[in-house]
């Protein structure tokens, strides 16, 4: 992409309404624009990162055997009356009346609708297990939308739902989600710690929230610091292997880690003092097992092997897709701007031409751009007439992990400069070697 033809409305001033760094940088980098309270347009740069995050989630969900689908944002109130949640959900649910005086709502979550789909089409235990998921916009009329997309009213969420014959099978689905979520967050360069939590309006007993530690987080958390050393890494996971998934769950949840809703001071104090931590965190996901809470009132039953009708065991599993952008920035930035982890960066590398219009630097920049594209990469080439200082400031602000600077003095010696946004370290390489290095970093 050529910056001169892109839409990147960066701001020099810090917007006064932004209280936390991720909100400030998302506004300054031209990623989002508020449309009304808690509702945002996703400008091209923000949209690109949102798509990257979404792609990782799709890959990891499908790796775990979960099936993608899509449900509407507007739903009939009647379904929600069947589960009793139309009245229970409270003020956060946006209720609308259509021209025929029918009650509809903008979905805050989709247990009812998926249960309705299930009961219409599945009647035998032979069709189980089944887990389907979507990535779709949700609306919750938050009393205090704030921190930009971190606590929006309209937000993008991955929500998955499992249907199983027995509680044991449903717990395997729960474990699969826990493992796949850990992998998902790690691929985004994040450490998200599973913590025992409270189930809220979704209901049920077994639930974990995934928290990214950050001073600006809205949740108060308590944990044994030993948990921060755990990593999924590149170990092979067989999602069909119940014992393996259970073992990973135990590995990641046996240490004390709780949000304030479930915090138990006496248990906490059993942790050796030097490992005891209380901190703040950003909730980026939550998984639930709630048994037959929806299947029973809504008649979602299957015939088991003995011919008896039984209500299916269910769970639901959410990831805050749009909130993740904020969480990643809170976890990865410096005084100059965002530092994107390679897994989610909007462009793989930035090319800065220090003397636009100079035949030599133009040709070398174009050669770099073409060669990177040839390798399947997506560079952002700053081909504008801005001063070098302004070009560097923009690149630092938008946080591309790698920058290649093309200047006349270096070119005279046959080199360009490849710099890491994270460390600030740079080296001088030929154009070909710089392309090889960037391709190697991305496994391209
Ligand atoms: P919170 O406690 O932050 O209000 P929640 O527990 O009500 O969230 P869930 O029902 O668990 O939310 O939704 C799944 C995920 O969606 C959450 O883990 C969070 O990352 C994200 N999410 C929830 N509410 C919002 C919001 N208002 N804006 C952005 N993301 C949100
Ligand atoms: Mg939650």
């Amino acid at each position: 992409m050529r910056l001169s033809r892109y839409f990147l409305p960066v701001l020099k001033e810090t917007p006064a309404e932004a209280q936390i760094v991720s909100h400030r940088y998302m506004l300054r980098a031209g990623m989002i624009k508020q449309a009304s309270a808690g509702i945002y347009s996703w400008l091209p740069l923000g949209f690109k990162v949102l798509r990257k995050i979404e792609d990782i989630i799709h890959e990891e969900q499908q790796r775990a055997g979960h099936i993608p689908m899509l449900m509407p944002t507007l739903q009939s109130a009647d379904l929600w009356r069947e589960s009793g949640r139309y009245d229970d959900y409270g003020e956060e649910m946006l209720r609308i009346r259509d021209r025929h005086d029918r009650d509809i709502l903008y979905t805050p979550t989709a247990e009812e609708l998926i249960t309705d789909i299930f009961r219409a089409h599945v009647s035998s235990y032979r069709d189980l297990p089944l887990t389907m998921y979507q990535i779709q916009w949700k609306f919750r009329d938050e009393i205090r939308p704030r921190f930009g997309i971190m606590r929006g009213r309209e937000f993008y969420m991955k929500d998955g739902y499992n249907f199983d014959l027995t509680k044991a099978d449903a717990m395997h689905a729960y474990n699969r989600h826990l493992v796949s979520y850990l992998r998902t967050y790690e691929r985004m360069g994040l450490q998200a710690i599973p913590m025992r939590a409270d189930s809220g309006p979704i209901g049920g007993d077994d639930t974990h929230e995934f928290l990214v530690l950050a001073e600006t987080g809205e949740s108060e958390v308590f944990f044994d610091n030993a948990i921060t050393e755990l990593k999924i890494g590149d170990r092979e996971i067989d999602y069909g292997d119940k014992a393996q998934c259970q073992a990973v769950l135990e590995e990641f949840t046996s240490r004390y880690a709780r949000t304030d809703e479930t915090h138990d001071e006496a248990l906490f104090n059993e942790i050796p003092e030097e490992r005891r931590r209380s901190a703040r965190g950003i909730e980026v996901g939550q998984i639930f097992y709630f048994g037959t809470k929806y299947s029973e009132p809504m008649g979602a039953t299957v015939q088991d092997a003995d011919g008896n009708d039984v209500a299916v065991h269910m769970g639901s599993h959410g990831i805050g897709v749009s909130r993740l952008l904020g969480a990643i920035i809170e976890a990865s930035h410096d005084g100059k701007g965002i530092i994107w982890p390679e897994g989610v960066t909007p462009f793989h590398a930035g090319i800065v031409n220090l003397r636009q219009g100079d035949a030599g630097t133009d040709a070398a920049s174009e050669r770099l751009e073409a060669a990177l594209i040839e390798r399947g990469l997506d560079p952002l080439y700053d081909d504008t007439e801005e001063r070098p200082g302004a070009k560097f400031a923009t690149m630092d602000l938008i946080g591309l992990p790698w920058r290649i600077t093309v200047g006349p003095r270096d070119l005279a010696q046959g080199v360009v400069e490849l710099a890491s946004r994270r460390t600030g370290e740079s080296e001088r390489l030929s154009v070909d070697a710089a392309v090889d290095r960037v391709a190697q970093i991305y496994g391209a």
Side-chain angles (χ1 to χ4, degrees), residues 89 92 108-109 140 142 149-158 201-202 209 218 283-286 288 318-323:
Y89 210 94
E92 277 189 15
T109 170
R140 294 182 189 172
E142 302 277 354
I149 47 76
M150 202 79 105
R151 179 165 299 282
R153 293 199 298 161
E154 189 186 43
F155 62 98
Y156 208 34
M157 194 214 275
K158 172 264 164 178
I202 309 280
E209 282 181 354
E218 291 186 285
E283 182 196 329
V284 292
Q286 188 164 9
F288 303 85
I319 296 181
V321 184
S322 47
R323 179 179 288 178

Side-chain angles (χ1 to χ4, degrees), residues 171-172 175-176 178-179 182 230 232 235 237-238 241-254:
M171 289 317 291
H172 175 50
N175 299 348
R176 271 198 324 270
L178 183 124
V179 178
L182 290 170
L230 300 175
I232 286 281
R235 65 177 96 168
I237 304 282
D238 173 358
D241 182 339
K242 292 187 173 170
Q244 191 195 16
C245 293
Q246 173 72 26
V248 176
L249 172 116
E250 281 165 16
E251 178 187 345
F252 280 82
T253 61
S254 59

Side-chain angles (χ1 to χ4, degrees), residues 221-273:
V221 298
F222 303 85
F223 59 97
D224 176 342
N225 196 45
I227 205 168
T228 59
E229 327 243 285
L230 300 175
K231 279 235 157 21
I232 286 281
D234 49 16
R235 65 177 96 168
E236 280 293 319
I237 304 282
D238 173 358
Y239 284 102
D241 182 339
K242 292 187 173 170
Q244 191 195 16
C245 293
Q246 173 72 26
V248 176
L249 172 116
E250 281 165 16
E251 178 187 345
F252 280 82
T253 61
S254 59
R255 297 230 157 71
Y256 189 93
R258 296 189 180 193
T259 60
D260 56 353
E261 294 144 345
T262 55
H263 179 55
D264 178 328
E265 196 65 28
L267 274 180
F268 184 58
N269 288 330
E270 287 173 15
I271 307 168
E273 198 175 344

Side-chain angles (χ1 to χ4, degrees), residues 70-319:
L70 189 62
M71 291 178 276
T73 52
L74 294 176
Q75 300 183 0
S76 156
D78 289 341
L79 263 185
W80 289 68
R81 291 194 175 101
E82 281 188 51
S83 71
R85 281 209 295 181
Y86 190 64
D87 295 322
D88 291 352
Y89 210 94
E91 292 289 296
E92 277 189 15
M93 181 187 279
L94 179 64
R95 297 148 210 264
I96 309 163
R97 184 152 296 163
D98 70 13
R99 70 200 297 170
H100 303 294
D101 263 348
R102 280 187 291 247
D103 292 321
I104 52 179
L105 56 97
Y106 195 126
T107 177
T109 170
E111 282 79 9
E112 283 78 0
L113 192 56
I114 191 104
T115 304
D116 184 52
I117 293 167
F118 180 89
R119 70 181 171 187
H121 298 290
V122 181
S123 54
S124 164
Y125 74 97
R126 288 195 188 85
D127 296 325
L128 304 181
L130 177 66
T131 296
M132 294 191 281
Y133 76 94
Q134 65 172 349
I135 300 181
Q136 176 63 297
W137 294 95
K138 304 291 183 303
F139 194 95
R140 294 182 189 172
D141 204 353
E142 302 277 354
I143 188 162
R144 251 185 0 127
R146 57 185 183 147
F147 304 154
I149 47 76
M150 202 79 105
R151 179 165 299 282
R153 293 199 298 161
E154 189 186 43
F155 62 98
Y156 208 34
M157 194 214 275
K158 172 264 164 178
D159 45 326
Y161 305 87
N162 68 281
F163 299 90
D164 287 280
L165 184 62
T166 63
K167 173 166 185 186
D169 289 348
M171 289 317 291
H172 175 50
Y174 187 90
N175 299 348
R176 271 198 324 270
H177 281 90
L178 183 124
V179 178
S180 66
Y181 278 25
L182 290 170
R183 279 190 64 126
T184 301
Y185 299 124
E186 274 187 22
R187 282 187 59 187
M188 298 174 187
L190 279 179
Q191 178 167 46
I193 304 173
M195 302 204 181
R196 265 267 280 274
D198 184 62
S199 64
I202 309 280
D205 308 320
D206 288 281
T207 183
H208 282 89
E209 282 181 354
F210 293 77
L211 285 115
V212 172
L213 300 177
E215 278 165 31
T216 51
E218 291 186 285
S219 312
E220 194 178 2
V221 298
F222 303 85
F223 59 97
D224 176 342
N225 196 45
I227 205 168
T228 59
E229 327 243 285
L230 300 175
K231 279 235 157 21
I232 286 281
D234 49 16
R235 65 177 96 168
E236 280 293 319
I237 304 282
D238 173 358
Y239 284 102
D241 182 339
K242 292 187 173 170
Q244 191 195 16
C245 293
Q246 173 72 26
V248 176
L249 172 116
E250 281 165 16
E251 178 187 345
F252 280 82
T253 61
S254 59
R255 297 230 157 71
Y256 189 93
R258 296 189 180 193
T259 60
D260 56 353
E261 294 144 345
T262 55
H263 179 55
D264 178 328
E265 196 65 28
L267 274 180
F268 184 58
N269 288 330
E270 287 173 15
I271 307 168
E273 198 175 344
E274 70 279 7
R275 298 207 320 251
R276 235 178 273 158
R277 296 284 186 283
S278 69
R280 303 202 68 83
I282 302 167
E283 182 196 329
V284 292
Q286 188 164 9
I287 55 177
F288 303 85
Y289 162 74
F290 43 68
T292 58
K293 177 179 152 87
Y294 299 91
S295 56
E296 227 167 83
M298 295 184 65
T301 59
V302 293
Q303 229 170 42
D304 68 11
D306 302 324
N308 305 314
D309 279 329
V310 294
V312 290
H313 288 257
M314 293 175 58
S316 71
H317 316 278
I319 296 181

